[in-house]
Structures are given as structure tokens and as C-alpha cells.
Amino acid sequence: MRKSITFLIAVTCLLQPDIVAAQEVTGTLIGTVLDAQGGTLRGAVVRVGSPALIGGLQMLTTNEKGQLRFPALPPGPYVLDIEMQGFKAYHEEEIRIGVGATIERRVVLQLPGIEESVVVQGTGSRIEARGSGFETRFGPEDLRAIPVRRFSMFDFIRAAPGVSPTSPGSVSTNSVSAFGSGTNENTFLIDGTNFTCPCSGEARSEPGVDFIQEVQVQSVGASAEFGNMQGAVVNVVTRQGSDRFLYDASYYGQTAGLTSRPVRLAYPGPGQPTSGYERVRYRDATTNLGGPVVRDRLWFFTGYQHLRDYDSQPGTDPAFPRTYQQDKIFAKLTWRIAPGMQLLQSFHDEFWVNPELPTRVKPFEATQRRHASVPAMTFGHLTHTLSSNTVWDVRVGRFVFTRKDDPSTGNVTTPGRFDRTTGVFSGAPQTFGGLTLIRTTTKGTINHYRPALLGADHQWRVGGQIEKGEHYLSTIIPSGVRFVDNGGQAFQTVSSAPSLTGGVFVTASGFASDAITLGNLLTINAGLRFDHSRAMSQDLRALDPQGRETENIVRGLGTLYTWNVWSPRLGVATKLTADGRTMLRASYGRFNQGVLTGELSPFHPGATPTTTAGFDSATGGYTSIVSVVDPKRNLQLDPETRSPRTDEYSIGVDREVGRRLAVAIAYVHKAGSHFIGWTDVGGRYREETRSLPDGRSLPVFVIANAMADRRFLLTNPAGYSLSYNGLVAAVEKRRSRGWQASGSYTWSRASGLQPSGAATAAGPQVSTIAGTPFLTFGQDPNNLTNARGRLPNDRPHMLRVMGGVDVPRTGLVLAANVQHFSGKPWAATAQIALPQGDQRIFLEPRGSRRLSSQTLVDLRLSRPIALGGSTRVELLVDVFNLLNDNAEEGIATDNLFSPNFGQPTSFSDPRRAMLGVRLNLGR
């Protein structure tokens, strides 16, 4: 480890002089100034200004090639002014700079005439000039104008082209797949700092929706700067202060009287009562303030969000609704320490309650009440612009996620039950406990632009980072034992003592890239990343029988394995027309999974044995031992396990049509391999058949040696894979003549075999066994029967359209957000009792059946009212799910021979209206 860090530092030092701007919270404006004959103009004075710029205007003079370059501009609208003695001045407004964007201008200065200057508004191309991948940005106009559920940043991430949400209609399920990758394979950044779960790869800090300035989704073609991921890079840039005091507040409410109930189902109770979707409470209030502490030197921004969302699904007792709660606070300081030197510091904390959703097969008493606090802090992000060609930056950030999973009833002594035939839970949740996650990130980059070297211009970027991630998880079975019934009859028990497990990783990384531009038409992006990761098992405190920590220490296993991983990246962006309005982009990249501590957790010495006992009618008790799985004996970790990887290819064309319309089309292919999963290397199995209730015979694998001989090895099993092919078309019409719109259509196919092969119809697509609890798919060979097929988040067709229009002569604005998704794939199964235990076996390949497709239409009608000066009030009416689509998002069971087979249990939230008011002061 120490040698690897020394090597990374040495590489960074060697390449320090030759490096482009940090792009995680800023963008770049480049260009060339010419005369009417096409000659370059050296010495032209160029100024850019924006409310987002602390310290006022930035100014430079063009170099010997007539080039201008502003390498580190915060996102926002910019004004560009160019002056040169003997020529007309040039002035352009509304140049939109996004996070990570490189916007280019080719300006021709005219000789003096009657007009003293040339004034234009947004006529230049907004197409990314150098990038070779596929990305989507949602700016302030989108965040404010488009009707969304106001749950989190995922309202917009789920609207990005190529992104398949696990649950489009749910506000409490935030997992997404990007172009076929698993929901655990994305990286989530806030202001460029990594706040991804070290345990299982999910987002673990989510800023309030009104704290957000921009959401950037880099779906394909991420640079070598980003590693330890195989999906999208999502960067959420938060708002900052300015040289003016600005205040805004909002309130949104929903009532039962404005909520539809298209589905009603019976639930247990006297007189066979029924219920539909019940809106119990919804209120969402935010308040935000920003401005100068010291003008041009120090800005602040702070905000607070209070959200209460109580509802219940059809077929559940409305007296026990899901009580979702959020309280989020945020503060940010922007320091101008010296000319060209800026420091950002931020703190975000959220306190939430997100209980399991009660359904007709999992009533309130069988659910967990999950509640957490998530303090996340960027201790400092220092950026120093040495010149228009050279920038360096360094950052340090950390978050701590602490969650408690309590029985919703508060009773920890009542045992839980599950009926393998009907799929019904009762009594108590299967487990309760707690989860703590910690991630610390330190990162630095040096960026340099070097023109005219060996016949090309170069943008070099070199950097390194060190990350440490860890988790520990307590798991307790209420009363120490849970029961499994078979059609209401006693069948089995599962028992285990309280368990405390965890894992740690430390990763040191280095990356270098070069964007080589030839003739201002062709840019080749080449990069290479190296990651050295160490996976470890840490010391933890033991638990007592009630699940409380004691003073006793359970010693961890130390280092379990190390990975040394190289990730090459290559991309091309070329202008097909001289004006840069038509671009061809292509990319290749190898993306490797980083260490997920959830894959280390099963082997921690704090894990306790699990005993399964069968009911013996002769004794009237659960006295027949079916299996004992002792992690210390039956679980093994392959020290030669390799990092899972995905090879990603893309090619596409962008075209800007006229001044306001842009279209893009792209093809994406992914091939994934080396996925980590279980296999039994100790058990020997023979092939037999079992008769099904419908008369068919089902081939099964039956253990032929002793149960104690089984050895479940976590390794890279043969045959695990991902194959993805997708075609996406997108169009954007920027705002003009009172309207704007954007849309996309994605056709795709994601298939293969992964650890989520046994997922239910509602389950997410994951490529890891990490979870709470961890996945056991693959430990029995029957798991693999028919498991290869469409992956859980495969949606062949996804259509999205959003936009807004001013209603003439009324002052009203009408906005819409329309999304259509194919249903998720699933397949029928059967529960088969075998000597090695009860097995759920697929009777057909996944994808043989699908949930219903969903069409969600959300509308907003708003009316801004000026109250004089800089005060404005806006009244809003949002109607969600206008068509009242009641597509199911989950089913009771996929057991073909259950009376509840395929019965819907959760649905898209129905049509409902939300009333809102927004107040702005100083804008």
C-alpha cells in the first residue's frame, strides 16, 4: 500500500507542469478570435461576467493563436465581451456554462462601420466542444419549471435518457440503472465530492431539492478521473451565494380530497374491509437565504427543508400508513482568498424516517421503521487558477450515515412469520438492527493547456485520490427465531444469535488524461487510471443477546485481498461542420468495480451461525435440523477474486439545428464480466426430478454428501455476465418565443446472469451480493436454473418529454413532464423442498413475464405575481399522474402455485393534485 501511494505521488510530480481545469464544479469557455479574412487576432481583450462569479469580471487577452480560455467558471449564465483596437466590439449574452462542459466560441470581429459594436444573444453553439461521451444536465430552469415529486435529486436523475429507474412511480425507492449497469455501479458526487455508499454503491446523501443548482448525469464515456464504477457519474452542484442578498421560501401541500383512489383491495379485518390509496398527510416547506458576508470576498448560502409524506397502499389498513419524513439543512461558504484562488466549504445533514412500505402481503407489524441521520461535509475544496492555461485543485470530504431499523410496532420480542406458499409476512419483521457507513475522500488534480505542441493542442489532466470506506451492520432476529409456514401449516424455523459484521477498504488512485485537438476539428481524449485497493476486516464490539454493543472486542481478519487495476479510456469528438454545430462522438472505456465492503461482511468473525430446523409432526416441534450455516466454516472468500469490469463502447452524432434546437442520437454497447458471486465448492449434487402440482416434472439438484461439507465460496463464478445494447435519441428546444421542451427515446436490451438473478419483480438490478442482508444467490445450484435472461431493470422502451409554455395574455405558465416505461421483467417460480433446504426455482427464463408498462403524465400550471421591487410570489398547481395510471410495481409472489401468484401489492401513486406557493426576494 505504502509503495503504491509513493508511486502515485511520484507520477503526479513528474507530470505536474503539463496538465486542464477541474470540471467537477465548474465548466470551461474556450474560443478563437479572428478577423474577416480568417486571420487570428492576438491581444484582443476578453471579459466574461456572471452573477455566479465571485470577485466580478474575469479578463484576459488572446494568445498568439487568437485563443481565449476561461478554465474554471462556476455554472450559470455568462456575458462575453471582446474588444480589439480597430475593430467593432463584440457582446454576447446568455452563454450557459454547465458543470463539466466545454463551450466554444469562434468570433469574427468586423471593421468599424456605422454600428460601434455587434450585440448577439445566445447565437453560438451550446454543444459540448470536446467531450466524447453522453451526458445530461438539468439546470436551474429545469429544476424550477418542471413538475416533479420533490423527493430528491432522483426526480431528475430518473428523467435522464438511458436511465432505468427501479420504481418510476415511487418517491422512496431511489435506485437507478444507467444504460444497463447495476444500481450499485454508479458514483454519486455532491459538488464533486464522493458520497457513494462504500457498502453497496448507492447514494447516501441527497441534498434538498431547493438547495440544488444543477444535476449532471454522465451516463457514458466518463474520463479516467472517475473510477471504481461501471455505470453513471452523477454530480449534484449545490447553490451558492452572490453579491446580492437573495431569499426564497416555498410551501407545497396535498390533501385526501385532491387524491384519486382507482384501486381498492380487501385487507384483514372484521367485515372484510377494503382500502385504496390513502393520502394521510403531505406538507413540504423550504426556506433558503444567500448573499455576501464580505462583498467580492466571501459569500454564504443556507437552506432548510421540512417534508412529511404519509400515505398507504391499497389493501392495507389506513390506520397504519407509511410515515415518510425528511428534515434537511445545508450551508455553504464561497471564499475568494486571492485573485484566482477560491475555497468552497459545505455542510449538509439530513434526518429522515423511511419505513418499509406496508402492502397486502406485508402488513404494518411485519415492517421495519428505518430512520437515519447523514451528516456530510466538504471540509474544503481549494481551486487555484494560476493562468488561463493552468489550474490545480484539492478537496477533502467525509460523510457518516447512521441508520436504525426498528420493528414498526416497537416490539422486539414477537417472532416474525413468512408463508412460503402465499408469500404473506406477519407478526414482526424478519430482522431489525442498525447500519453505519463512513466514507472519507481526499483528491487533487493539476490541469494544464499546452497549445501548438507537436502539431496539436493538448489539455493535460493528472491527479490522485485516496479514499477510505467502511461499514458495520448489526442484525437481530426478533426473539432469536422466525417461522416459515407452508399454506398456514408449520414448516420450518430459522434461528440465529445477534450478528455484528463489517468491512473496510482503502483505495489509492492515480489518473492522467490528454485531450489532443488537431486543427480545431478533431479532439482525441486518451486517459489511463490506476487503482490500488485493499479490502480489510476490522475489529468490532460484540453484541449481547438483546443486540446491544458490549465492551468485548471481536477481532477482524485484517487484510483479505488487494486489487491493482488499470482502466484505459479513449474517446473521439470531431466537428463534421466548420461551425461546430454537428459533432461526431465515439468512446471506449474499461470500468472496474471498486471494493464494496458489503462483500466482505459475510466473513467477519462477528457473524453468527444460522440454523434451519424442520417441523416434526411426531414430536410436535421444530426438532429436525435441516442445515446449519456457520460463516466461520461454511463461507469462504477467494483471495484471488478479481475486480468486476465492464467494457463500454459508444458512438453518436449531435446536431444543432438553427439557434435553439439540438438533436442527438447515440448507440451504446456494454459487455460485463468477472462479477462476484457464490458457488458451492464442497457440496456434491446429483440430478433428479420433482413433480409439480400441474403434473410437469422439474429437474433439480439434490445434495449427495453431508450438509456440513458445503463450502460457499465467494469468487468470480464462470458464466456471470452482462450484455447491453441501447439506442437513444434526444432533442432539446431551448427557450424562445415563450416555450421550451426536451425529450428522449431509448430502446435497449439488458441481459445476462448476475447476483440479482433471483430478484423479485420489484427488486433492483444489482451486480453484487452486498446488501442488508447479503444475497445468497448461487450458493445452491438450483438458483441458476433459468436465471439467465433479461436483467431486473431491463426496460426495452423508455420515452420522456418535458417542457413548458407561456399561455398568451394570461401570465400563466403550463409545464409538463411525461414518462413512459416498459414494465420490469420477471418469471414464475416454484418452492421445492429438498434435503439441503427449501429452494425457490425458476420455471422459465427471467423476462418471460413483465409488469405492466407505466405512463406517468405530470402537469403544472403556475402564475408569477410581481409585488413590486424585487419581490415575487408564484402560485402553482401540480397534477401528478394525470392519466391515473395504476400499473403495479410489485406482486405478492411469483410462486406459480400460490393463490397469490402475480397479485399486485404496490402501485404507481394515483392522480393527485399539489398546491404550492413560492416567494422570492431580491431576485
Side-chain angles (χ1 to χ4, degrees):
M1 176 68 180
R2 187 174 301 153
K3 292 180 179 179
S4 299
I5 295 175
T6 304
F7 168 75
L8 294 175
I9 294 173
V11 170
T12 301
C13 293
L14 281 171
L15 298 178
Q16 258 189 351
D18 305 312
I19 309 176
V20 231
Q23 297 281 286
E24 291 171 328
V25 294
T26 61
T28 299
L29 176 64
I30 64 175
T32 306
V33 181
L34 309 168
D35 61 21
Q37 286 72 45
T40 58
L41 293 177
R42 178 177 184 174
V45 178
V46 184
R47 299 180 181 86
V48 294
S50 171
L53 276 176
I54 190 170
L57 296 173
Q58 290 190 14
M59 183 179 71
L60 57 78
T61 57
T62 55
N63 64 15
E64 66 277 2
K65 296 180 67 176
Q67 293 175 331
L68 62 94
R69 185 174 192 80
F70 295 93
L73 299 177
Y78 282 79
V79 175
L80 172 66
D81 288 286
I82 304 176
E83 296 178 351
M84 181 78 178
Q85 187 174 1
F87 293 87
K88 294 180 182 179
Y90 178 88
H91 177 85
E92 182 178 351
E93 299 178 356
E94 286 299 312
I95 301 175
R96 290 282 171 179
I97 303 294
V99 174
T102 299
I103 302 300
E104 185 175 19
R105 287 295 180 266
R106 185 177 175 89
V107 177
V108 177
L109 297 185
Q110 303 295 328
L111 294 172
I114 298 176
E115 296 180 356
E116 295 183 356
S117 64
V118 176
V119 179
V120 297
Q121 284 195 340
T123 59
S125 173
R126 297 190 185 187
I127 288 182
E128 164 66 42
R130 296 289 186 262
S132 50
F134 188 92
E135 67 180 58
T136 305
R137 293 188 187 90
F138 298 98
E141 301 86 355
D142 305 306
L143 300 178
R144 289 185 59 84
I146 303 302
V148 295
R149 316 303 170 87
R150 293 185 55 81
F151 170 60
S152 72
M153 61 198 188
F154 282 94
D155 292 329
F156 291 93
I157 296 170
R158 290 189 288 199
V163 170
S164 173
T166 300
S167 173
S170 169
V171 297
S172 57
T173 301
N174 60 10
S175 59
V176 296
S177 296
F179 286 99
S181 294
T183 61
N184 62 291
E185 295 179 343
N186 305 308
T187 290
F188 297 94
L189 312 176
I190 300 177
D191 291 331
T193 300
N194 195 342
F195 291 108
T196 310
C197 173
C199 174
S200 54
E202 301 158 328
R204 281 304 181 221
S205 184
E206 302 175 18
V209 290
D210 289 342
F211 308 159
I212 299 174
Q213 170 77 11
E214 181 173 316
V215 177
Q216 176 196 19
V217 183
Q218 178 76 50
S219 308
V220 175
S223 73
E225 184 170 353
F226 303 103
N228 303 313
M229 40 73 70
Q230 298 160 274
V233 178
V234 178
N235 188 17
V236 178
V237 178
T238 57
R239 293 168 62 183
Q240 65 176 20
S242 69
D243 262 339
R244 295 179 61 191
F245 284 103
L246 301 174
Y247 174 77
D248 62 85
S250 64
Y251 179 83
Y252 300 85
Q254 300 179 29
T255 68
L258 297 176
T259 301
S260 175
R261 298 174 181 82
V263 177
R264 297 192 68 88
L265 298 173
Y267 66 92
Q272 286 295 306
T274 63
S275 67
Y277 177 88
E278 303 294 335
R279 163 59 65 205
V280 179
R281 177 186 300 176
Y282 184 96
R283 59 179 182 230
D284 179 5
T286 66
T287 180
N288 306 289
L289 176 66
V293 177
V294 180
R295 290 191 179 277
D296 293 328
R297 295 298 300 272
L298 175 59
W299 293 347
F300 78 94
F301 176 84
T302 185
Y304 169 69
Q305 181 181 15
H306 171 90
L307 174 64
R308 297 295 183 269
D309 183 359
Y310 300 174
D311 61 3
S312 61
Q313 285 285 318
T316 63
D317 188 344
F320 300 98
R322 177 193 64 117
T323 55
Y324 180 79
Q325 303 176 15
Q326 281 186 7
D327 286 282
K328 298 185 177 184
I329 58 174
F330 179 72
K332 185 176 185 178
L333 293 176
T334 306
W335 302 74
R336 182 174 178 259
I337 298 175
M341 183 173 288
Q342 180 173 294
L343 175 66
L344 297 179
Q345 295 176 296
S346 66
F347 175 78
H348 180 266
D349 203 353
E350 52 188 287
F351 306 89
W352 54 255
V353 179
N354 187 7
E356 278 191 280
L357 180 69
T359 68
R360 60 188 302 196
V361 294
K362 182 178 278 191
F364 174 78
E365 66 269 14
T367 63
Q368 293 178 343
R369 182 181 183 271
R370 299 167 178 164
H371 52 106
S373 65
V374 194
M377 185 169 185
T378 297
F379 297 106
H381 177 205
L382 180 64
T383 303
H384 191 186
T385 305
L386 298 175
S387 69
S388 61
N389 289 343
T390 305
V391 177
W392 64 262
D393 78 315
V394 64
R395 70 173 70 241
V396 180
R398 175 184 172 91
F399 80 88
V400 179
F401 173 100
T402 305
R403 189 183 83 195
K404 298 295 184 183
D405 301 339
D406 301 322
S408 293
T409 62
N411 188 332
V412 298
T413 59
T414 299
R417 309 190 78 95
F418 171 71
D419 194 302
R420 64 190 287 271
T421 300
T422 63
V424 173
F425 296 84
S426 60
Q430 301 290 284
T431 62
F432 67 96
L435 173 66
T436 297
L437 309 168
I438 304 172
R439 189 179 196 121
T440 305
T441 301
T442 302
K443 180 178 179 180
T445 63
I446 308 172
N447 313 272
H448 182 71
Y449 173 71
R450 175 69 182 273
L453 176 66
L454 301 177
D457 297 338
H458 297 261
Q459 298 178 32
W460 287 304
R461 178 187 308 231
V462 168
Q465 70 183 47
I466 298 175
E467 290 194 302
K468 180 180 179 181
E470 62 182 299
H471 91 281
Y472 48 92
L473 168 72
S474 62
T475 304
I476 304 104
I477 297 176
S479 78
V481 60
R482 62 175 181 260
F483 294 85
V484 180
D485 298 329
N486 183 27
Q489 302 300 311
F491 182 64
Q492 288 179 348
T493 60
V494 178
S495 59
S496 179
S499 170
L500 183 63
T501 62
V504 178
F505 75 77
V506 176
T507 298
S509 308
F511 52 87
S513 63
D514 187 6
I516 307 166
T517 301
L518 302 168
N520 203 38
L521 292 177
L522 173 65
T523 298
I524 301 172
N525 296 295
L528 183 64
R529 180 183 179 92
F530 173 74
D531 293 285
H532 172 83
S533 299
R534 186 156 60 105
M536 295 172 285
S537 173
Q538 77 273 48
D539 297 344
L540 294 173
R541 293 187 181 276
L543 299 180
D544 65 17
Q546 287 72 45
R548 298 185 295 257
E549 289 188 6
T550 69
E551 295 300 317
N552 298 325
I553 300 297
V554 179
R555 299 297 176 187
L557 301 175
T559 299
L560 300 174
Y561 59 79
T562 58
W563 284 344
N564 293 294
V565 176
W566 296 90
S567 304
R569 313 284 166 82
L570 181 65
V572 174
T574 183
K575 298 176 183 176
L576 299 181
T577 57
D579 60 6
R581 293 180 180 272
T582 305
M583 300 285 297
L584 172 68
R585 308 181 196 277
S587 69
Y588 162 76
R590 171 160 290 180
F591 297 86
N592 293 277
Q593 176 190 300
V595 174
L596 295 175
T597 59
E599 294 180 338
L600 315 177
S601 191
F603 309 97
H604 195 278
T608 54
T610 299
T611 301
T612 301
F615 181 77
D616 188 335
S617 58
T619 63
Y622 297 89
T623 54
S624 176
I625 300 300
V626 177
S627 68
V628 177
V629 178
D630 185 346
K632 298 179 181 63
R633 176 174 180 172
N634 299 105
L635 302 187
Q636 296 179 351
L637 175 63
D638 183 356
E640 302 300 319
T641 297
R642 293 166 291 173
S643 170
R645 70 188 191 195
T646 297
D647 289 316
E648 176 188 280
Y649 308 82
S650 73
I651 186 169
V653 176
D654 301 352
R655 171 64 181 169
E656 194 165 43
V657 183
R659 295 173 54 182
R660 300 287 178 178
L661 183 65
V663 296
I665 186 169
Y667 166 74
V668 179
H669 172 73
K670 290 183 178 181
S673 59
H674 295 173
F675 293 106
I676 295 175
W678 296 103
T679 187
D680 186 356
V681 296
R684 291 184 289 106
Y685 296 85
R686 63 177 180 269
E687 292 189 39
E688 296 183 3
T689 60
R690 291 293 187 271
S691 296
L692 298 175
D694 61 4
R696 288 182 292 167
S697 293
L698 177 68
V700 297
F701 297 92
V702 178
I703 193 164
N705 55 343
M707 294 283 287
D709 292 337
R710 294 184 299 172
R711 296 293 182 270
F712 303 131
L713 179 69
L714 189 65
T715 184
N716 305 105
Y720 281 48
S721 65
L722 160 72
S723 177
Y724 175 84
N725 290 283
L727 187 67
V728 59
V731 61
E732 178 191 11
K733 193 275 182 186
R734 297 194 298 272
R735 185 170 180 82
S736 65
R737 299 181 180 179
W739 71 284
Q740 67 185 52
S742 64
S744 69
Y745 169 73
T746 305
W747 172 89
S748 64
R749 178 188 176 97
S751 60
L753 176 64
Q754 293 189 344
S756 59
T760 63
Q765 176 184 324
V766 295
S767 61
T768 175
I769 62 109
T772 52
F774 65 85
L775 303 184
T776 60
F777 177 82
Q779 289 187 356
D780 190 284
N782 292 287
N783 297 158
L784 303 177
T785 301
N786 286 320
R788 180 176 298 276
R790 296 296 184 100
L791 296 176
N793 275 34
D794 172 71
R795 298 182 186 271
H797 304 284
M798 296 185 290
L799 175 68
R800 300 169 166 99
V801 179
M802 57 180 62
V805 60
D806 298 337
V807 181
R809 295 183 294 276
T810 65
L812 298 172
V813 179
L814 180 64
N817 182 6
V818 180
Q819 301 187 65
H820 173 82
F821 302 92
S822 299
K824 282 165 54 68
W826 62 285
T829 67
Q831 291 291 144
I832 305 297
L834 297 174
Q836 66 263 35
D838 201 33
Q839 300 298 323
R840 174 173 168 262
I841 303 177
F842 282 101
L843 302 179
E844 57 196 9
R846 174 177 288 276
S848 300
R849 305 168 192 262
R850 285 189 179 272
L851 298 177
S852 300
S853 61
Q854 292 174 272
T855 301
L856 304 176
V857 179
D858 301 335
L859 292 183
R860 167 175 292 171
L861 188 65
S862 61
R863 176 68 159 86
I865 303 172
L867 300 181
S870 55
T871 302
R872 188 180 74 168
V873 170
E874 188 174 9
L875 306 178
L876 309 99
V877 178
D878 291 352
V879 179
F880 299 121
N881 194 2
L882 180 69
L883 303 181
N884 222 12
D885 190 307
N886 60 356
E888 74 281 3
E889 292 198 340
I891 58 175
T893 178
D894 51 27
N895 182 352
L896 181 63
F897 306 105
S898 167
N900 290 331
F901 172 71
Q903 294 297 311
T905 57
S906 60
F907 304 83
S908 302
D909 290 351
R911 180 172 57 235
R912 60 212 182 278
M914 181 169 74
L915 306 179
V917 58
R918 294 196 293 220
L919 170 67
N920 289 277
L921 300 177
R923 189 172 299 278

